[in-house]
Amino acid sequence: LVRSIIPRSDFWNDTETLENISGAKFEKACRRRQQLKSNNFGEVSRIGLYMRTPYSTHTGDDGSHWINQISAEYVCQEMFKNTINGDTYNSWAEARLALVKQKHAVGRGGEPSLITVPTMSYDPYLQSLLVPWMESKTVRSYQCPFVCNKECWQTDILHAFGSYVVCAKGLWRTPNNKGKISPYLLRTLSTKQGGGKGAAWITDYIRKCLPSSMPDEQKNRVSATSARVAGITEMGIWNVGYYPSHARSGHAVSSNQQKYLDR
């Protein structure tokens, strides 16, 4: 259709560009559909991962529906249950800390990987953990406060941080060949993010903690982005102002933040 409208454009001579436009992506999506992997074209609608629900910590044995357990509280609790003291291989404590940080910051998946230990501090006025947060999309950095969650230990920033340090040796590092030590707080996630798979790494851990009764089709709609989707909606519910909500999520004012909002 486009070729028939603008047949004489030099664009049609650029083979590399043509391979990257929707035609190739459409063909890939068709193959996935034929293999029964996916029915979706384009962006998938995500199920929001809210901070908590009335039945967040229920296991489902009481007859409650699986939708009641889709929350950060439930997922973080399952991650904590899977945490074994001294286990640095399975990374459950690290995954929980990454999710808690992303949830509180209303950040993009994988952005917690950019946090470095030397730049972390404590703000006595706000009584909060202060972390320079860098946006992976815009490469902008700013101070982001993390306050304690006295109502929910599962998503409390200091509880998650302490569990990571104590149970997963979170501050332990091995020097490289040049004797330098990695400054990144989340050692596994920072490696995954460097390969462009940070968000996928967090998503994998989240899905492992979802209720077993949840259909696979619905599990595939829960990802690291779900925490951001629900976070923006929660700010709207609790009447967080237009500018503060954009400042927290890192969206430019008058941008596309609204596409994440459950309206």
Side-chain angles (χ1 to χ4, degrees):
L1 175 62
V2 177
R3 190 188 292 269
S4 65
I5 297 173
I6 46 174
R8 294 185 176 85
S9 174
D10 293 335
F11 174 78
W12 305 114
N13 299 323
D14 191 340
T15 305
E16 183 177 353
T17 302
L18 285 174
E19 290 177 351
N20 292 324
I21 62 174
S22 59
K25 294 180 180 179
F26 183 81
E27 183 181 353
K28 181 179 178 181
C30 289
R31 287 199 300 268
R32 289 181 61 84
R33 175 66 189 100
Q34 290 173 347
Q35 297 169 6
L36 301 180
K37 291 183 177 181
S38 174
N39 290 325
N40 298 304
F41 291 87
E43 189 171 336
V44 178
S45 174
R46 297 299 178 188
I47 295 177
L49 197 65
Y50 292 91
M51 189 66 77
R52 67 192 314 185
T53 66
Y55 304 99
S56 289
T57 56
H58 288 214
T59 60
D61 297 333
D62 56 358
S64 59
H65 194 271
W66 56 263
I67 196 64
N68 293 307
Q69 283 101 47
I70 309 305
S71 69
E73 181 180 28
Y74 177 85
V75 171
C76 287
Q77 179 172 282
E78 294 302 302
M79 289 179 173
F80 185 70
K81 287 181 180 179
N82 292 328
T83 299
I84 300 175
N85 189 26
D87 184 5
T88 59
Y89 177 75
N90 290 302
S91 305
W92 284 108
E94 181 179 353
R96 179 186 168 214
L97 179 57
L99 176 58
V100 168
K101 281 188 171 294
Q102 183 193 333
K103 178 63 182 174
H104 281 266
V106 197
R108 299 175 181 86
E111 285 183 344
S113 66
L114 303 173
I115 297 173
T116 57
V117 176
T119 57
M120 296 172 58
S121 61
Y122 182 79
D123 191 310
Y125 179 75
L126 298 175
Q127 297 184 29
S128 65
L129 185 66
L130 202 60
V131 174
W133 190 269
M134 180 176 289
E135 298 174 12
S136 57
K137 189 174 183 179
T138 63
V139 201
R140 291 182 301 182
S141 181
Y142 45 82
Q143 295 291 340
C144 187
F146 291 84
V147 297
C148 296
N149 187 351
K150 64 180 181 180
E151 298 180 351
C152 179
W153 64 265
Q154 293 91 334
T155 56
D156 179 69
I157 185 66
L158 293 184
H159 191 288
F161 180 72
S163 299
Y164 175 57
V165 171
V166 175
C167 299
K169 301 180 181 179
L171 297 181
W172 182 82
R173 298 290 185 276
T174 301
N176 60 19
N177 295 333
K178 297 181 180 180
K180 294 184 178 181
I181 297 177
S182 171
Y184 295 104
L185 173 65
L186 300 167
R187 53 182 176 240
T188 307
L189 180 58
S190 63
T191 302
K192 296 293 182 181
Q193 183 73 356
K197 298 182 179 179
W201 183 81
I202 297 177
T203 295
D204 184 52
Y205 273 88
I206 291 174
R207 290 177 180 172
K208 287 178 181 178
C209 293
L210 296 175
S212 58
S213 58
M214 186 176 184
D216 290 340
E217 184 178 351
Q218 300 302 322
K219 285 184 179 181
N220 291 334
R221 293 179 58 203
V222 180
S223 69
T225 306
S226 297
R228 183 169 170 84
V229 169
I232 292 173
T233 303
E234 286 166 326
M235 287 193 291
I237 292 173
W238 291 101
N239 296 319
V240 174
Y242 178 79
Y243 180 78
S245 69
H246 280 71
R248 188 64 173 182
S249 67
H251 284 104
V253 176
S254 298
S255 72
N256 61 347
Q257 187 200 67
Q258 55 199 349
K259 79 173 184 178
Y260 290 94
L261 186 65
D262 283 344
R263 291 178 288 178

